[in-house]
Amino acid sequence: MRITIIGSGYVGLVSGACFADFGHVVTCVDKAEHKIEALRAGRMPIYEPGLAEIVASNVQAGRLSFSTDLAGPVSEADVVFIAVGTPSRRGDGHADLSHVFDVARDISRHVRGFTVVATKSTVPVGTGDEVDYIIRMVNPNADVAVVSNPEFLREGAAIEDFKRPDRIVVGHADPRAVEVMTEVYRPLYLNAAPILFTSRRTSELVKYAANAFLALKITFINEIADLCENVGANVQEVSRGIGLDKRIGPKFLNAGPGYGGSCFPKDTLALVKTAQDSNAPLRLVEATVAVNDQRKRAMARKVVAACGGRVRGRTIAVLGLTFKPNTDDMREAPAISIIQGLIDAGARVTAYDPQGMEQARPLLDPHVAYAEDAYVCAHGADALVIVTEWDQFRALDLDRLAAGMTGNVLVDLRNIYRSEEIEKRGLRYTCLGDGLATLPLSYPVAAE
Ligand code: UDX
């Protein structure tokens, strides 16, 4: 199969590299010249474990190439994937589809022979119909089948997710597309990944519904964590206790400082808007969005409380800035609100992140100081806050850390430590959802 991918960002590049690895001949297109030049020189525009290696080996094998011009690669392709960004539109939270529609126009001018046009970008229900309409308006002779083929890639685990997906979803309105897309994903369902063919609108909604459900699951356990703190229960045990029920499942039940990233915040908001416009409001998702927004800032208050209620003039070390580990992505990262909240309360903040500091600088308050590692960051700090659970923070030399600190407060917003191991170093440990630590066992449950 000859595959052309328009948009060499995170989704386009990972998909292109993995399709090439399956043996397809792939061209990744992007209009940003600096990006294509960097990729040709073997430099990745994003940090994603394993990506550089897959790109290099497939370029070398002649299966993967990069171009700023879509004309040639589109005319030769069996399948053209649209993988451009759909950011939140300023002002109303709807997805901004201008890039998708521009690409649809460009594609329509260059397609030759029967071509499947597959949208990988996350787009609101009905966008496939619009893309179909645009292509036929611009070029009435174009023989295309427009399909929806959402991605379910987690940053930091994208290659694994691509190669071993739970499922592949393809929404179509033309049976010829089924044959082509079956061929595109053939190497995957040899690995037993189910491929689900649906209507185009259904497939578009599957993507939003999946992300909204996961965001809801996280938000649910985050609220349960708060409840645990107030009633003397432990959220990790609650997660385990409910997650063993196969109907619930153990994943996405880790309490944290609120979800961030490029997908959940944007997609939940867009779904809320679509649902309101369609006269079927999704109130649970609306609540999820609001609760998650408030949570990020509330985490700053939690840190202040752990410091005894005042942080003015104190130094707080923040470990982990990115919205999750194994990425340099700072979009909607809880660290942004938490650090701002601490600075607003008068604290001085030093920060360290293994990959995200460059991306963080323009987003964080200019007074934040950056350290070269976790120990330098903690040196002289009154309190230490773990915001992102990078592996290197799971195995810190706690004696060295404690010895360098001026104060003795450690706030673990990812629950990666046990209180005993922290407290035996003379530090005071605060985590999420451990009411056994915050309340005496004799705490009266019923109001008296
Ligand atoms: C997500 C979806 O998982 C993926 O399928 C979709 O295509 C894109 O959006 P991603 O944003 O890369 O992927 O990260 P994910 O691992 O899902 O985490 C999202 C956020 O939720 C992070 O901020 C993470 O810290 C948080 N999270 C996740 C929790 O707080 N607790 C959990 O148990 C899981």
Coordinates of all heavy atoms in Angstrom, one line a residue, residues 37-105:
E37 N 12.7 19.4 7.3 CA 14.2 19.4 7.2 C 14.8 18.7 8.4 O 15.6 17.8 8.2 CB 14.7 20.8 7.2 CG 15.0 21.4 5.8 CD 15.2 22.9 5.9 OE1 15.8 23.4 6.9 OE2 14.7 23.6 5.0
A38 N 14.2 18.9 9.6 CA 14.7 18.3 10.8 C 14.5 16.7 10.7 O 15.4 15.9 11.0 CB 14.0 18.8 12.0
L39 N 13.3 16.4 10.2 CA 13.0 14.9 10.1 C 13.9 14.2 9.1 O 14.4 13.1 9.3 CB 11.5 14.7 9.7 CG 10.5 14.9 10.8 CD1 9.1 15.1 10.3 CD2 10.6 13.8 11.8
R40 N 14.2 15.0 8.0 CA 15.1 14.4 7.0 C 16.5 14.2 7.6 O 17.3 13.3 7.2 CB 15.2 15.3 5.8 CG 14.0 15.1 4.9 CD 14.1 16.0 3.7 NE 13.1 15.8 2.7 CZ 12.6 16.7 1.9 NH1 13.1 17.9 1.9 NH2 11.6 16.4 1.1
A41 N 16.9 15.1 8.5 CA 18.2 15.0 9.2 C 18.2 14.0 10.4 O 19.1 13.9 11.1 CB 18.6 16.4 9.6
G42 N 17.0 13.4 10.6 CA 16.9 12.4 11.7 C 16.6 13.0 13.0 O 16.7 12.3 14.0
R43 N 16.2 14.3 13.1 CA 15.8 14.9 14.3 C 14.3 14.9 14.5 O 13.6 15.3 13.6 CB 16.3 16.4 14.4 CG 17.8 16.5 14.5 CD 18.2 17.9 14.9 NE 17.6 18.9 14.0 CZ 18.1 19.3 12.9 NH1 19.3 18.8 12.4 NH2 17.6 20.2 12.1
M44 N 13.8 14.4 15.7 CA 12.4 14.3 15.9 C 11.8 15.6 16.4 O 12.4 16.2 17.3 CB 12.1 13.2 16.9 CG 12.5 11.8 16.5 SD 11.7 11.3 15.0 CE 13.1 11.4 13.9
P45 N 10.7 16.1 16.0 CA 10.1 17.4 16.5 C 9.5 17.2 17.9 O 9.1 18.1 18.6 CB 9.1 17.8 15.5 CG 8.7 16.5 14.7 CD 9.9 15.6 14.8
I46 N 9.3 15.9 18.3 CA 8.7 15.6 19.6 C 9.5 14.6 20.3 O 10.2 13.8 19.6 CB 7.2 15.1 19.5 CG1 7.2 14.0 18.4 CG2 6.2 16.2 19.1 CD1 6.0 13.0 18.6
Y47 N 9.3 14.5 21.6 CA 10.0 13.4 22.3 C 9.0 12.3 22.5 O 7.9 12.4 23.1 CB 10.4 13.9 23.7 CG 11.0 12.8 24.6 CD1 12.2 12.3 24.3 CD2 10.2 12.2 25.6 CE1 12.7 11.2 25.1 CE2 10.7 11.2 26.3 CZ 11.9 10.7 26.1 OH 12.4 9.6 26.8
E48 N 9.3 11.1 21.9 CA 8.4 9.9 22.1 C 9.3 8.7 22.0 O 10.0 8.5 21.1 CB 7.4 9.9 20.9 CG 6.4 8.7 21.0 CD 5.5 8.7 22.2 OE1 5.1 9.8 22.6 OE2 5.2 7.6 22.7
P49 N 9.3 8.0 23.1 CA 10.3 6.8 23.2 C 10.2 5.9 22.0 O 9.1 5.5 21.7 CB 9.9 6.1 24.5 CG 9.2 7.2 25.3 CD 8.5 8.1 24.4
G50 N 11.3 5.6 21.4 CA 11.3 4.6 20.3 C 11.1 5.2 18.9 O 11.3 4.5 17.9
L51 N 10.6 6.4 18.9 CA 10.2 6.9 17.6 C 11.4 7.2 16.7 O 11.3 6.8 15.5 CB 9.4 8.2 17.8 CG 8.9 8.9 16.5 CD1 7.9 8.0 15.8 CD2 8.2 10.2 16.8
A52 N 12.4 7.8 17.2 CA 13.6 8.1 16.3 C 14.1 6.9 15.7 O 14.5 6.9 14.5 CB 14.6 8.8 17.2
E53 N 14.2 5.8 16.4 CA 14.7 4.5 15.9 C 13.9 4.0 14.8 O 14.4 3.5 13.7 CB 14.8 3.5 17.0 CG 15.8 3.8 18.1 CD 15.3 4.8 19.2 OE1 14.2 5.3 19.0 OE2 16.1 5.1 20.1
I54 N 12.6 4.0 15.0 CA 11.7 3.4 13.9 C 11.8 4.3 12.7 O 11.8 3.8 11.5 CB 10.2 3.4 14.4 CG1 10.1 2.4 15.5 CG2 9.3 3.0 13.3 CD1 8.7 1.9 15.8
V55 N 11.8 5.6 12.9 CA 11.9 6.5 11.7 C 13.2 6.2 11.0 O 13.2 6.0 9.8 CB 11.9 8.0 12.2 CG1 12.3 8.9 11.1 CG2 10.4 8.4 12.7
A56 N 14.3 6.2 11.7 CA 15.6 6.0 11.1 C 15.6 4.7 10.3 O 16.1 4.6 9.1 CB 16.7 6.0 12.1
S57 N 15.2 3.6 10.9 CA 15.3 2.3 10.2 C 14.4 2.2 8.9 O 14.8 1.7 7.9 CB 15.0 1.1 11.1 OG 13.7 1.1 11.5
N58 N 13.2 2.9 9.0 CA 12.4 2.8 7.8 C 12.8 3.8 6.7 O 12.6 3.5 5.5 CB 10.9 3.1 8.2 CG 10.3 1.8 8.9 OD1 10.0 0.9 8.2 ND2 10.3 1.8 10.2
V59 N 13.4 4.9 7.1 CA 14.0 5.8 6.1 C 15.1 5.1 5.4 O 15.1 5.1 4.1 CB 14.5 7.1 6.8 CG1 15.4 7.9 5.8 CG2 13.4 8.0 7.3
Q60 N 15.9 4.4 6.1 CA 17.0 3.6 5.6 C 16.5 2.5 4.6 O 17.1 2.3 3.5 CB 17.9 3.0 6.7 CG 19.2 2.8 6.2 CD 20.1 2.3 7.3 OE1 19.6 1.8 8.3 NE2 21.4 2.3 7.1
A61 N 15.4 1.9 5.0 CA 14.9 0.8 4.2 C 14.1 1.4 2.9 O 13.6 0.6 2.1 CB 13.9 0.0 5.0
G62 N 14.0 2.7 2.9 CA 13.3 3.3 1.7 C 11.8 3.3 1.8 O 11.1 3.5 0.8
R63 N 11.3 3.0 2.9 CA 9.8 2.9 3.0 C 9.2 4.2 3.6 O 8.0 4.4 3.6 CB 9.4 1.8 4.0 CG 9.6 0.4 3.3 CD 8.9 -0.7 4.2 NE 9.5 -0.7 5.5 CZ 10.5 -1.5 5.9 NH1 10.9 -2.4 5.0 NH2 11.0 -1.5 7.1
L64 N 10.0 5.1 4.2 CA 9.5 6.3 4.8 C 10.2 7.5 4.3 O 11.5 7.5 4.3 CB 9.7 6.2 6.3 CG 9.2 7.4 7.2 CD1 7.7 7.6 7.0 CD2 9.5 7.1 8.6
S65 N 9.5 8.5 3.8 CA 10.1 9.7 3.3 C 9.3 10.9 3.8 O 8.1 10.8 4.3 CB 10.3 9.7 1.8 OG 9.1 9.6 1.2
F66 N 9.8 12.1 3.6 CA 9.2 13.3 4.1 C 9.1 14.4 3.0 O 10.0 14.5 2.2 CB 10.0 13.9 5.3 CG 10.1 12.9 6.4 CD1 11.3 12.2 6.6 CD2 9.0 12.7 7.3 CE1 11.4 11.2 7.6 CE2 9.1 11.7 8.3 CZ 10.3 11.0 8.5
S67 N 8.1 15.2 3.0 CA 7.9 16.1 1.9 C 7.1 17.3 2.4 O 6.3 17.2 3.3 CB 7.2 15.5 0.8 OG 6.9 16.4 -0.2
T68 N 7.4 18.5 1.9 CA 6.6 19.7 2.2 C 5.5 19.9 1.1 O 4.6 20.7 1.3 CB 7.4 21.0 2.2 OG1 8.2 21.0 1.0 CG2 8.3 21.0 3.4
D69 N 5.6 19.1 0.1 CA 4.6 19.2 -1.0 C 3.7 18.0 -1.1 O 4.2 16.9 -1.2 CB 5.5 19.3 -2.3 CG 4.5 19.5 -3.5 OD1 3.4 20.0 -3.3 OD2 5.0 19.1 -4.7
L70 N 2.4 18.3 -1.0 CA 1.5 17.1 -1.0 C 1.1 16.6 -2.4 O 0.6 15.5 -2.5 CB 0.3 17.3 -0.1 CG -0.7 18.5 -0.3 CD1 -1.5 18.3 -1.6 CD2 -1.6 18.5 0.9
A71 N 1.3 17.4 -3.4 CA 0.8 17.0 -4.8 C 1.2 15.6 -5.2 O 0.4 14.8 -5.5 CB 1.2 18.1 -5.8
G72 N 2.5 15.4 -5.3 CA 3.0 14.1 -5.8 C 2.6 12.9 -4.9 O 1.9 12.0 -5.3
P73 N 2.9 13.0 -3.5 CA 2.5 11.9 -2.6 C 1.0 11.6 -2.6 O 0.6 10.5 -2.5 CB 3.0 12.4 -1.3 CG 4.1 13.4 -1.6 CD 3.7 14.0 -2.9
V74 N 0.2 12.7 -2.8 CA -1.3 12.4 -2.8 C -1.7 11.7 -4.1 O -2.5 10.8 -4.1 CB -2.1 13.8 -2.6 CG1 -3.6 13.6 -3.0 CG2 -2.0 14.2 -1.2
S75 N -1.1 12.1 -5.2 CA -1.6 11.5 -6.5 C -1.2 10.0 -6.5 O -1.8 9.3 -7.2 CB -1.0 12.3 -7.7 OG 0.4 12.2 -7.7
E76 N -0.1 9.7 -5.8 CA 0.3 8.3 -5.9 C -0.3 7.4 -4.8 O -0.1 6.2 -4.8 CB 1.9 8.2 -5.6 CG 2.6 8.7 -6.9 CD 4.1 9.1 -6.5 OE1 4.5 8.7 -5.4 OE2 4.7 9.7 -7.3
A77 N -1.0 8.0 -3.8 CA -1.4 7.2 -2.7 C -2.7 6.4 -2.9 O -3.6 6.7 -3.6 CB -1.7 8.2 -1.5
D78 N -2.7 5.2 -2.2 CA -3.9 4.4 -2.0 C -4.8 5.0 -0.9 O -6.0 5.0 -1.0 CB -3.6 3.0 -1.7 CG -2.8 2.3 -2.8 OD1 -3.2 2.3 -3.9 OD2 -1.6 1.9 -2.5
V79 N -4.1 5.5 0.1 CA -4.8 6.1 1.3 C -4.1 7.4 1.7 O -2.9 7.4 1.8 CB -4.8 5.2 2.5 CG1 -5.7 5.7 3.6 CG2 -5.2 3.8 2.2
V80 N -4.9 8.4 1.8 CA -4.3 9.7 2.4 C -4.9 9.9 3.8 O -6.1 9.9 3.9 CB -4.7 10.9 1.5 CG1 -4.1 12.2 2.1 CG2 -4.2 10.7 0.1
F81 N -4.0 10.0 4.8 CA -4.5 10.2 6.1 C -4.4 11.7 6.4 O -3.4 12.4 6.1 CB -3.7 9.5 7.2 CG -4.0 8.0 7.3 CD1 -3.3 7.1 6.5 CD2 -5.0 7.6 8.1 CE1 -3.6 5.7 6.6 CE2 -5.3 6.2 8.1 CZ -4.6 5.3 7.4
I82 N -5.5 12.3 7.0 CA -5.4 13.6 7.5 C -5.1 13.6 9.0 O -5.9 13.0 9.7 CB -6.8 14.4 7.3 CG1 -7.2 14.4 5.8 CG2 -6.7 15.8 7.8 CD1 -8.5 15.0 5.5
A83 N -4.0 14.1 9.3 CA -3.5 14.1 10.7 C -3.1 15.5 11.2 O -2.0 15.6 11.8 CB -2.4 13.0 10.9
V84 N -3.9 16.5 10.9 CA -3.5 17.8 11.3 C -4.2 18.2 12.6 O -5.1 17.5 13.0 CB -3.9 18.9 10.2 CG1 -3.0 18.7 9.0 CG2 -5.3 18.8 9.8
G85 N -3.8 19.2 13.2 CA -4.3 19.6 14.6 C -5.8 20.1 14.5 O -6.2 20.7 13.5
T86 N -6.5 19.9 15.6 CA -7.8 20.4 15.7 C -7.9 21.1 17.1 O -8.6 20.6 18.0 CB -8.9 19.3 15.6 OG1 -8.6 18.3 16.5 CG2 -9.0 18.7 14.2
P87 N -7.2 22.2 17.3 CA -7.2 22.9 18.6 C -8.6 23.4 19.0 O -9.4 23.5 18.1 CB -6.2 24.0 18.4 CG -6.2 24.3 16.9 CD -6.5 23.0 16.2
S88 N -8.7 23.7 20.3 CA -10.0 24.4 20.7 C -10.0 25.8 20.1 O -9.1 26.5 20.1 CB -10.0 24.5 22.2 OG -10.2 23.3 22.8
R89 N -11.2 26.1 19.5 CA -11.3 27.4 18.9 C -11.4 28.4 20.0 O -12.1 28.2 21.0 CB -12.6 27.4 18.1 CG -12.7 28.5 17.0 CD -13.8 28.1 16.0 NE -15.1 28.0 16.6 CZ -16.2 27.6 15.9 NH1 -16.0 27.2 14.6 NH2 -17.3 27.5 16.4
R90 N -10.7 29.5 19.8 CA -10.7 30.6 20.8 C -12.1 31.1 21.1 O -12.8 31.3 20.1 CB -9.8 31.7 20.4 CG -8.9 32.2 21.5 CD -7.9 33.1 21.0 NE -7.0 32.4 20.1 CZ -5.7 32.6 20.0 NH1 -5.1 33.4 20.8 NH2 -5.0 31.9 19.2
G91 N -12.5 31.2 22.3 CA -13.8 31.8 22.6 C -14.9 30.8 22.9 O -15.5 30.9 23.9
D92 N -15.1 29.7 22.1 CA -16.2 28.9 22.3 C -15.9 27.4 22.6 O -16.9 26.7 22.9 CB -17.2 29.0 21.1 CG -16.7 28.4 19.8 OD1 -15.6 27.9 19.9 OD2 -17.4 28.5 18.8
G93 N -14.7 27.0 22.5 CA -14.4 25.6 22.9 C -14.6 24.6 21.8 O -14.2 23.4 22.0
H94 N -15.3 25.0 20.8 CA -15.5 24.0 19.6 C -14.1 23.7 19.0 O -13.2 24.5 19.1 CB -16.4 24.7 18.6 CG -17.8 24.5 18.8 ND1 -18.4 23.2 18.7 CD2 -18.8 25.3 19.1 CE1 -19.7 23.3 19.0 NE2 -20.0 24.6 19.2
A95 N -14.0 22.5 18.4 CA -12.8 22.2 17.7 C -12.6 23.1 16.4 O -13.6 23.3 15.7 CB -12.8 20.7 17.3
D96 N -11.4 23.6 16.3 CA -11.1 24.4 15.1 C -10.8 23.5 13.9 O -9.7 22.8 14.0 CB -10.0 25.4 15.4 CG -9.5 26.2 14.2 OD1 -10.1 26.0 13.1 OD2 -8.7 27.1 14.4
L97 N -11.6 23.5 12.9 CA -11.5 22.5 11.8 C -10.8 23.1 10.6 O -10.8 22.5 9.5 CB -12.8 21.9 11.5 CG -13.4 21.1 12.6 CD1 -14.8 20.7 12.2 CD2 -12.6 19.9 12.9
S98 N -10.3 24.4 10.7 CA -9.8 25.0 9.5 C -8.7 24.3 8.8 O -8.6 24.2 7.6 CB -9.5 26.5 9.8 OG -8.5 26.5 10.8
H99 N -7.8 23.7 9.6 CA -6.7 22.9 9.0 C -7.2 21.7 8.3 O -6.7 21.4 7.2 CB -5.7 22.5 10.1 CG -5.1 23.6 10.8 ND1 -4.4 24.6 10.2 CD2 -5.0 23.9 12.2 CE1 -4.0 25.5 11.2 NE2 -4.4 25.0 12.3
V100 N -8.2 21.0 8.9 CA -8.7 19.8 8.2 C -9.4 20.2 6.9 O -9.1 19.5 5.9 CB -9.8 19.1 9.2 CG1 -10.5 18.0 8.4 CG2 -9.1 18.7 10.4
F101 N -10.1 21.2 6.9 CA -10.8 21.6 5.6 C -9.8 22.1 4.6 O -10.0 21.9 3.4 CB -11.9 22.7 5.9 CG -13.0 22.1 6.8 CD1 -13.8 23.0 7.6 CD2 -13.3 20.8 6.8 CE1 -14.8 22.5 8.4 CE2 -14.4 20.2 7.6 CZ -15.1 21.1 8.4
D102 N -8.8 22.9 5.0 CA -7.8 23.3 4.0 C -7.1 22.1 3.4 O -6.9 22.1 2.2 CB -6.7 24.1 4.8 CG -7.2 25.5 5.2 OD1 -8.3 25.9 4.7 OD2 -6.5 26.2 5.9
V103 N -6.8 21.1 4.2 CA -6.1 19.9 3.7 C -7.1 19.2 2.7 O -6.7 18.7 1.6 CB -5.7 19.0 4.8 CG1 -5.3 17.6 4.3 CG2 -4.5 19.6 5.6
A104 N -8.4 19.1 3.1 CA -9.4 18.4 2.2 C -9.4 19.1 0.8 O -9.4 18.4 -0.2 CB -10.8 18.5 2.8
R105 N -9.3 20.4 0.8 CA -9.3 21.2 -0.5 C -8.0 20.8 -1.3 O -8.1 20.5 -2.5 CB -9.3 22.7 -0.3 CG -10.7 23.2 -0.1 CD -10.8 24.7 0.1 NE -11.8 25.0 1.1 CZ -11.7 25.2 2.3 NH1 -10.5 25.4 2.9 NH2 -12.7 25.3 3.1

